[in-house]
Amino acid sequence: MAADSREPRQPTMDDVALAAGVSRTSVSRVFLGQSKVSRETIRRVREVADELGYVPNRIASGLASGGSSTVGLLLRDAANPAYGLLFTRLQREAHEAGLDIISMTIAEDHRGHKQVAALDHLIGMQVSALIVATGGVTSDQLDPFRSRLPIIRAGRPEPTTRVHAVSYDEVDAGHRLGSLVTGQGHRRVAVLHTEADESYPEWVRATAITEALGAGGAEVVTLPVRRVGDQVEAAVDLAARGTVSAIMCPSDARALDVLRALQGRGLSAPDDVSVTGCDGIMPGLDLIGLTTFRVAVEHLAHRAITNLVGLLSGDIDSVVHEEVAGTLVPGRTSGPHHPLEN
Amino acid sequence: MAADSREPRQPTMDDVALAAGVSRTSVSRVFLGQSKVSRETIRRVREVADELGYVPNRIASGLASGGSSTVGLLLRDAANPAYGLLFTRLQREAHEAGLDIISMTIAEDHRGHKQVAALDHLIGMQVSALIVATGGVTSDQLDPFRSRLPIIRAGRPEPTTRVHAVSYDEVDAGHRLGSLVTGQGHRRVAVLHTEADESYPEWVRATAITEALGAGGAEVVTLPVRRVGDQVEAAVDLAARGTVSAIMCPSDARALDVLRALQGRGLSAPDDVSVTGCDGIMPGLDLIGLTTFRVAVEHLAHRAITNLVGLLSGDIDSVVHEEVAGTLVPGRTSGPHHPLEN
DNA sequence: ATGAAAGCGCTAACAC
DNA sequence: GTGTTAGCGCTTTCAT
């Protein structure tokens, strides 16, 4: 049996109008929920529409009315739990604000090329606003569109002051984690320092961690990293040799990797070395007991949408630049340093 | 400083045509990458377009050509790592197949109402095909559109034979997990059994687990559950009393919850009771050592897109109904049962 | 190789 | 309250 016989052309508004014995305008009014339509007309139109399986063509209506009410969301990678949750929360908040969101994921390949395809695609769909939840798109790439529709960055520190942004207070996160560790007596600490162009948020975190560590009187061994997994062995080596008593990572994924490597060597945290991460989103983190910092995804999503609504309605006309605070999550993978043991 | 001065109307094809001194038709041809255009015209058009920041209006082009080439993806919740990963992989596979994907998340509230809004929205956007990665939409709701465009369900067992589907072999998953546990000597096992209307995949898993347990000679204590967290205490009670020596869960999230409850009571797996989950996607599962079953997300995404391409091109004209196999992941939360200890 | 003209399905004045 | 008339920005014959 053939699965699809395709063709059966979508019924149009004219089909409905004809079948209902009214003008196309009336049908339009019914679907737009406009006032000037009689009860009876509404009923007949709805009935006929259902019967025919009519679904308004948003493409056409968007064209005609010049402007859809849906906002576009540009994503990078929902496989990362932190982004997956952000995605979900943004959707929810948007929904509650009466906004429809359509999202596209940028391809990961060629930095700066394929990326923009999704941007153009969304712009081309005439979305009424754009939420950019990925660093894969630079502020420069957003520039040409800033004057055409509100664009707000969500979840990434925005270095420029040109585009609206609601981001996590990564500096605070780094400082809190750093202080926690120096407060526990650690004086030589390895920091996995992500390159800025690999992940700007992680770079900011690592930088803040390093700063706090220095302020707390600790010496820092900086290990520049790009992809998850980089320098993990090196860090563990340092710990095994007793060169450092703590390894700090700018993300939970990297911290888990360190934990894994430690385990592979028969070492463990915090007995042999303290380990910290950052994000705090993954389910099950509590079971692992990772010391981390929990970013306020829910709050960020809320602020992002609230601001977007303000931007859309024109109530806000200045550049939005907010940071939301998170929570330190002390775990069992970090603990006080006992100099005597080394 | 005003952030947005809006208005600056998007440049249209006519603007470009005018500025380039050619007809709109030529501009169209250039952007459609059609053959019959002179090198020189192409150059000038591209140049002018860039200058003006022109982005083709897909809405209009879709209307005119009757049919976008993008496919719609209906999601439920990307916060669940398994769905987040599926989402990501579907995007990647689609991208590699030259398909653009736009996705919408269905609202979670009223079963069957708001849900359909996203469906209609996507249909209304005239997508050329639909991937449904959520159980939130019933097959009945998809029915009216089956004849208009290819619809394929991804990641959920599809009970009917009407709509295309690529799903995980949940029955195999359940059987393998059940056999593992009986093979380890467990004879009285508690199974968190999700209600079918809460989560069909979990229901199938739990049912298969129960079946395998029975076949392996074990007695099953069925604990009907809905939301994550349900019956967790009850299960732990049974274990504490020695009524069961293993607790099997139809998802990792539930298993983690059990582990957490166990920990809260000072009990642990597998010493006091064996615990198993199902999904195997969460990062860090290996550190927790959870015994689980890893569903083949990557493979599923690949098959889903491959089939979609076939459906789109008309190469496939029968109903697609595939299941992809996963992998048993024996962990450290389950172990042999030692009757003497109880 | 290029242009002119006719819509795609819908909304938005503007009459009635 | 309802219908009429223009388009929205683009693709597409069909000429040239």
Side-chain angles (χ1 to χ4, degrees), chain A residues 13 24-25 28 54 60-61 64:
Chain A
M13 200 168 249
R24 193 202 315 155
T25 310
S28 174
Y54 169 74
S61 95

Side-chain angles (χ1 to χ4, degrees), chain B residues 9-207:
Chain B
R9 186 179 61 81
Q10 296 241 21
T12 77
M13 200 168 249
D14 281 324
D15 296 330
V16 177
L18 186 65
V22 298
S23 79
R24 190 202 315 157
T25 311
S26 293
V27 180
S28 174
R29 289 199 174 98
V30 169
F31 277 91
L32 290 171
Q34 285 178 177
S35 37
K36 304 309 196 88
V37 197
S38 76
R39 279 239 161 284
E40 171 56 12
T41 303
I42 295 186
R43 204 195 51 66
R44 247 209 339 289
V45 168
R46 292 231 104 93
E47 184 179 298
V48 173
D50 272 21
E51 208 160 274
L52 268 50
Y54 169 74
V55 175
N57 183 333
R58 305 220 174 206
I59 296 299
S61 90
L63 220 215
S65 66
S68 73
S69 69
T70 77
V71 342
L73 170 58
L74 217 48
L75 246 40
R76 190 217 276 270
D77 183 1
N80 174 330
Y83 278 97
L85 182 58
L86 175 58
F87 177 42
T88 300
R89 302 307 297 219
L90 282 171
Q91 291 274 172
R92 179 174 313 177
E93 293 285 343
H95 180 74
E96 281 167 11
L99 263 32
D100 281 318
I101 285 198
I102 68 175
S103 47
M104 292 203 67
T105 298
I106 61 174
E108 298 187 11
D109 26 309
H110 341 295
R111 279 230 161 208
H113 181 61
K114 262 312 172 191
Q115 324 269 39
V116 194
L119 212 202
D120 279 6
H121 199 158
L122 245 18
I123 295 283
M125 299 248 247
Q126 309 299 102
V127 294
S128 58
L130 212 50
I131 303 175
V132 182
T134 162
V137 173
T138 69
S139 303
D140 285 350
Q141 297 180 120
L142 296 176
D143 256 350
F145 309 114
R146 276 177 31 228
S147 59
R148 314 228 265 254
L149 76 174
I151 300 182
I152 188 169
R153 219 182 250 280
R156 297 239 156 194
E158 166 62 33
T160 83
T161 184
R162 283 174 294 150
V163 18
H164 307 287
V166 179
S167 57
Y168 300 119
D169 189 342
E170 311 280 14
V171 171
D172 178 55
H175 283 172
R176 304 267 292 278
L177 284 163
S179 311
L180 175 73
V181 169
T182 57
Q184 283 179 146
H186 297 275
R187 285 300 170 266
R188 289 184 64 83
V189 180
V191 174
L192 262 38
H193 207 123
T194 313
E195 305 280 0
D197 62 343
E198 175 69 21
S199 166
Y200 186 62
E202 289 193 18
W203 179 83
V204 174
R205 288 171 181 179
T207 302

Side-chain angles (χ1 to χ4, degrees), chain A residues 275-297:
Chain A
V275 176
T276 67
C278 193
D279 267 346
I281 302 303
M282 283 177 31
L285 269 186
D286 55 327
L287 289 169
I288 295 173
L290 181 65
T291 291
T292 184
F293 187 91
R294 215 265 187 201
V295 294
V297 180

Side-chain angles (χ1 to χ4, degrees), chain A residues 12-309:
Chain A
T12 78
M13 200 168 249
D14 281 324
D15 295 332
V16 177
L18 186 64
V22 298
S23 80
R24 193 202 315 155
T25 310
S26 293
V27 180
S28 174
R29 289 199 175 100
V30 169
F31 277 91
L32 290 174
Q34 285 178 178
S35 38
K36 305 308 197 88
V37 198
S38 77
R39 279 242 162 283
E40 171 56 12
T41 303
I42 296 186
R43 205 195 50 66
R44 245 208 343 287
V45 167
R46 293 230 104 94
E47 184 179 297
V48 173
D50 272 22
E51 207 160 274
L52 269 48
Y54 169 74
V55 176
N57 182 332
R58 304 219 173 206
I59 296 299
S61 95
L63 220 215
S65 67
S68 73
S69 70
T70 77
V71 343
L73 170 58
L74 217 47
L75 246 40
R76 191 217 275 272
D77 183 2
N80 174 330
Y83 278 97
L85 182 59
L86 175 58
F87 177 43
T88 300
R89 303 305 297 221
L90 282 171
Q91 292 274 173
R92 178 174 313 177
E93 292 286 342
H95 180 73
E96 280 167 11
L99 263 31
D100 281 318
I101 285 199
I102 68 175
S103 48
M104 293 202 66
T105 298
I106 60 173
E108 296 187 11
D109 26 308
H110 340 295
R111 279 229 162 206
H113 182 62
K114 263 312 173 192
Q115 323 268 42
V116 194
L119 212 203
D120 278 5
H121 200 140
L122 246 17
I123 294 282
M125 298 246 245
Q126 309 301 101
V127 294
S128 58
L130 211 51
I131 303 175
V132 182
T134 163
V137 174
T138 69
S139 303
D140 285 350
Q141 297 180 120
L142 296 175
D143 256 351
F145 308 115
R146 275 177 32 226
S147 60
R148 316 227 263 254
L149 76 175
I151 301 182
I152 188 170
R153 220 181 249 280
R156 297 239 157 195
E158 166 63 33
T160 83
T161 184
R162 284 173 294 149
V163 18
H164 306 288
V166 179
S167 57
Y168 300 119
D169 190 342
E170 311 282 14
V171 171
D172 178 55
H175 284 171
R176 306 268 292 278
L177 284 163
S179 312
L180 175 74
V181 169
T182 56
Q184 284 180 144
H186 296 274
R187 285 300 171 264
R188 289 184 62 85
V189 180
V191 174
L192 262 39
H193 207 124
T194 313
E195 306 279 1
D197 62 342
E198 175 69 21
S199 166
Y200 186 64
E202 289 193 18
W203 179 84
V204 174
R205 288 171 180 178
T207 302
I209 288 175
T210 301
E211 194 174 287
L213 249 19
E219 199 174 315
V220 176
V221 179
T222 299
L223 300 173
V225 299
R226 301 207 74 92
R227 330 222 29 159
V228 171
D230 287 356
Q231 300 283 26
V232 167
E233 288 304 329
V236 172
D237 274 344
L238 290 174
R241 282 198 232 102
T243 307
V244 301
S245 64
I247 300 174
M248 301 191 66
C249 311
S251 81
D252 286 348
R254 293 182 192 274
L256 291 188
D257 235 47
V258 169
L259 253 22
R260 214 156 359 227
L262 240 29
Q263 189 172 288
R265 299 245 207 138
L267 300 177
S268 81
D271 303 329
D272 301 294
V273 59
S274 282
V275 176
T276 67
C278 193
D279 267 346
I281 302 303
M282 283 177 31
L285 269 186
D286 55 327
L287 289 169
I288 295 173
L290 181 65
T291 291
T292 184
F293 187 91
R294 215 265 187 201
V295 294
V297 180
E298 298 80 356
H299 187 201
L300 183 138
H302 180 72
R303 293 304 307 158
I305 298 299
T306 300
N307 280 306
L308 194 62
V309 170

